[in-house]
Amino acid sequence: MIRLGILGAGAIAKTMAKTIRMMNDNGYDRIQLYGIASRSLAKAEAFAQENGVIHAYGSYQDMVNDPDIDLVYIATPHSHHYEHAMLCLEHGIPVLVEKAFTANAEQSRKLLAYAEEHHLLATEAIWTRYQPMRQMINDAVFSGIIGTPKIVVADLSKPIAHKERIQKPELAGGVLLDMGIYPINFAEMICGHPTGVVSVCTGNEAGMDLNDAYLFTFENGVIGNLYSSAEAFSASDGMIHGTLGYIIVRNVNNPSAIEIYNLDNELIRAIDAPKQLTGYEYEVMETVEALEKGWLECPSMPHAETIHVMELMDTIRKQLGVVYPFEK
Ligand SMILES: NC(=O)c1ccc[n+]([C@@H]2O[C@H](COP(=O)([O-])OP(=O)(O)OC[C@H]3O[C@@H](n4cnc5c(N)ncnc54)[C@H](OP(=O)(O)O)[C@@H]3O)[C@@H](O)[C@H]2O)c1
């Protein structure tokens, strides 16, 4: 059984704890909610009590010093993923790192090179890559039912610009790394890597992007029209427009349904997502399988793909003029 430690006792840490509890309650016993580490012992203890975690640690260092930890889930802001994941790897502990994997591509390359060199699993917790809907969407798009795909439109927008991790340059803020990464991954899971990108944004006074638009061209001739806002609210759907109709994917952040429309604008097929616990169980199961089999990466999000997405986001940030203080 894999003993999981969670590093950082924030919002997504709580969701991960709930996911593991639900997995265990549903008979999946290959992972255990073993540890929670916070910069404050009182916070870690409260988290452990509320979320059914066995051990609480008052510092990240204390948790990585525990020889019984088999895997750490990094649940801190983007700015700190590199430092915190490296701390675990240096103590011989594999990592499941929240998206965005790091703040920039250079950090990703260094972290993954270290993990590979030391034969430790490192993988990015971008949940949509691991979910069964990924294949179901591609099956629908490439079944021929909408003809040849020509345009992909996708966005993820929620009014969360007030949050520290979005506002602050020192936390690698902005909407791109936090939410823009989802429409980008959505388009890439269908079309592969883009051949070109043009991006614009509006942002806050600290220079962080809050409303972004990214235009992609793909090798297969598809155009991607992607956007993300930390100020507006939207349905956050994805759409694939083809020569014989179009597909709507409800919620690119956790796809719940696929709807297929013909040239008469009639709904001809609707496919629901398989029943899920929280939707995060798929990344956990694949990470556990990878650890059990001695893999260094997860097939759903290989290292090369994580580095590619980070390089793409570096390019986009250059176009947007978004620079984090630790990069200057
Ligand atoms: N996959 C998803 O669906 C999803 C959803 C939301 C967020 N995320 C990702 O998860 C990560 C964390 O997001 P979150 O919403 O959980 O954020 P959050 O609620 O702000 O929690 C982040 C935690 O990081 C720790 N931390 C360490 N250094 C910090 C610093 N300098 N400033 C602030 N916090 C610091 C804190 O834990 P302690 O005080 O306990 O040390 C804090 O509670 C981000 O990478 C985000 O993109 C993913």
Side-chain angles (χ1 to χ4, degrees), residues 4-48:
L4 176 72
I6 300 178
L7 193 152
I12 196 66
K14 221 171 246 188
T15 306
M16 178 53 76
K18 179 180 169 196
T19 301
I20 307 295
R21 269 201 324 275
M22 290 178 82
M23 291 172 77
N24 292 162
D25 290 348
N26 279 270
Y28 184 94
D29 61 3
R30 285 150 67 191
I31 192 160
Q32 182 183 42
L33 201 44
Y34 186 83
I36 176 71
S38 169
R39 294 164 301 171
S40 138
L41 182 59
K43 188 175 167 191
E45 284 173 339
F47 186 103

Side-chain angles (χ1 to χ4, degrees), residues 7-15 36-40 43-44 60 73-81 84 98-100 125-127 163-165 170-171 177-179 182 253 280 283:
L7 193 152
I12 196 66
K14 221 171 246 188
T15 306
I36 176 71
S38 169
R39 294 164 301 171
S40 138
K43 188 175 167 191
Y60 303 154
Y73 170 61
I74 307 291
T76 52
H78 313 131
S79 49
H80 290 67
H81 288 180
H84 295 150
E98 255 311 332
K99 48 46 71 177
I126 172 94
W127 58 333
K163 295 201 177 194
E164 256 200 334
R165 70 168 209 268
E170 61 271 31
L171 294 183
L177 267 57
D178 204 88
M179 290 196 289
Y182 283 103
N253 194 30
Y280 294 93
E283 68 187 24

Side-chain angles (χ1 to χ4, degrees), residues 56-70:
Y57 308 86
S59 77
Y60 303 154
Q61 184 68 49
D62 283 355
M63 186 166 77
V64 299
N65 285 344
D66 183 340
D68 288 335
I69 295 279
D70 298 314

